[in-house]
Every structure is written in C-alpha cells, then in structure tokens.
C-alpha cells in the first residue's frame, strides 16, 4: 500500500481525494527536496566556519536583490530595520558589504556586496555545486535536463512572487 506522510498508509478511500492531495503531495516532495539543498548549504556554511546563518542570509539577499536600501533589505529578510542595520554594520566592518548614500537621497543608504563578499559567496556556491554535481551524476542526461528546466521555471515563479510582494 502507498505511504502517505500525513496519515501513514493510504487506505481504500484515499483514491477519492487523489486530485486534492496531488498538489499537497507535490508541495511536500518539493519541500523535501529543498531540505536536502538546505542541508547541502548548511554543510558548506559549517565548513566555512566564519559566517552565521543570519549573516549568510543577509549577504545572499544583498547579492541576489541588491543594491538595496536598509528598509527593503530588512523586509526581504523579515527582520527589523535596527537588527538588519546592526548586521550590515558587522558585515561592512568585515569587508563583505559596503554602504553608500543613494544618489536620489542623502538620507537613504544603499547596501551592496563587496568583491570580498562575492568571493565568500562563490566559495559557498562552489561547495554546494560540488555536492549537487555528485548527486546529478546519478541522473540520466534527460533527467538532468528535465530537473534543470523545472527548477528554472520554479525559480522564475517564486522570483516574480517576491517582486510583487516587495514592490
């Protein structure tokens, strides 16, 4: 009998809810796969040893969405502006971020990843790509192409949702 994560083994009545459960099951399986990728990232961060997860999140957000002002960065991370500002100060002090006045407003500070910050992120990404590459070797070429296509499509959808949410 198939196994269902929410209720153990699927019984005879499970087929009637199959359409409703398909979306839930897909979300569950994508979430499981994403946890594997999170673990790969956490392993890479642990081996780097000099960056907290909060600092890494901030650095990644500034790289992916930057340059940003402090309010937008705080919103992107779901942190308070004051906590975000303190973390930005620490990362700027470590040479990983830079702060500069925005061209349109002297009161607004823009935050951007420095060349050293990009080197740190590349070390992290390189370690992740090595681990991911080892797993990808076990897929067929068609499986790799399909996975790549679906993940690109998924990334575009989530990015659009993020853009709408933080616009």
């Amino acid at each position: 009998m198939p196994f269902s994560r929410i209720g153990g083994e699927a019984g005879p009545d499970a087929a009637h809810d199959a359409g409703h459960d398909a979306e839930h099951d897909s979300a569950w399986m994508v979430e499981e796969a994403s946890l594997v990728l999170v673990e790969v990232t956490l392993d890479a961060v642990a081996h780097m040893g000099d960056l907290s997860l909060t600092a890494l999140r901030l650095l990644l957000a500034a790289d992916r969405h930057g340059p940003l002002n402090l309010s937008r960065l705080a919103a992107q991370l779901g942190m308070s502006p004051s906590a975000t500002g303190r973390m930005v100060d620490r990362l700027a002090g470590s040479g990983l971020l830079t702060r500069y006045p925005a061209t349109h407003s002297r009161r607004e500070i823009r935050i951007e990843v420095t060349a050293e910050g990009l080197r740190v992120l590349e070390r992290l990404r390189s370690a992740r790509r090595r681990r991911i590459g080892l797993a990808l070797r076990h897929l067929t070429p068609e499986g790799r192409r399909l996975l790549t296509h679906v993940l690109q499509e998924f990334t575009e959808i989530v990015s659009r949702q993020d853009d709408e949410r933080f616009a």
Side-chain angles (χ1 to χ4, degrees), residues 40-148:
V40 166
T41 300
L42 292 174
D43 288 348
V45 170
H47 286 98
M48 292 175 67
D50 54 349
L51 207 54
S52 73
L53 291 178
T54 303
L56 175 63
R57 280 187 68 224
L58 193 146
L59 197 58
L60 286 166
D63 180 49
R64 185 163 182 236
H65 304 286
L68 299 164
N69 65 32
L70 186 63
S71 298
R72 174 92 191 254
L73 182 57
Q76 190 77 36
L77 297 168
M79 294 172 58
S80 71
S82 61
T84 304
R86 287 189 299 274
M87 182 60 67
V88 166
D89 289 345
R90 281 192 289 264
L91 292 173
S94 298
L96 302 177
L97 289 177
T98 187
R99 296 168 297 199
Y100 56 91
T103 56
H104 63 281
S105 168
R106 294 178 59 100
R107 291 182 49 188
E108 183 176 316
I109 300 297
R110 304 294 283 173
I111 300 158
E112 192 168 13
V113 179
T114 63
E116 179 59 26
L118 292 173
R119 281 190 287 278
V120 167
L121 289 175
E122 181 50 36
R123 279 196 340 257
L124 173 73
R125 289 175 174 138
S126 179
R128 288 174 39 188
R129 282 190 302 268
R130 277 193 302 275
R131 287 276 310 275
I132 292 167
L134 290 173
L136 290 175
R137 289 180 190 166
H138 296 280
L139 293 176
T140 65
E142 180 57 30
R144 285 192 299 274
R145 279 192 294 277
L146 179 61
L147 179 63
T148 301

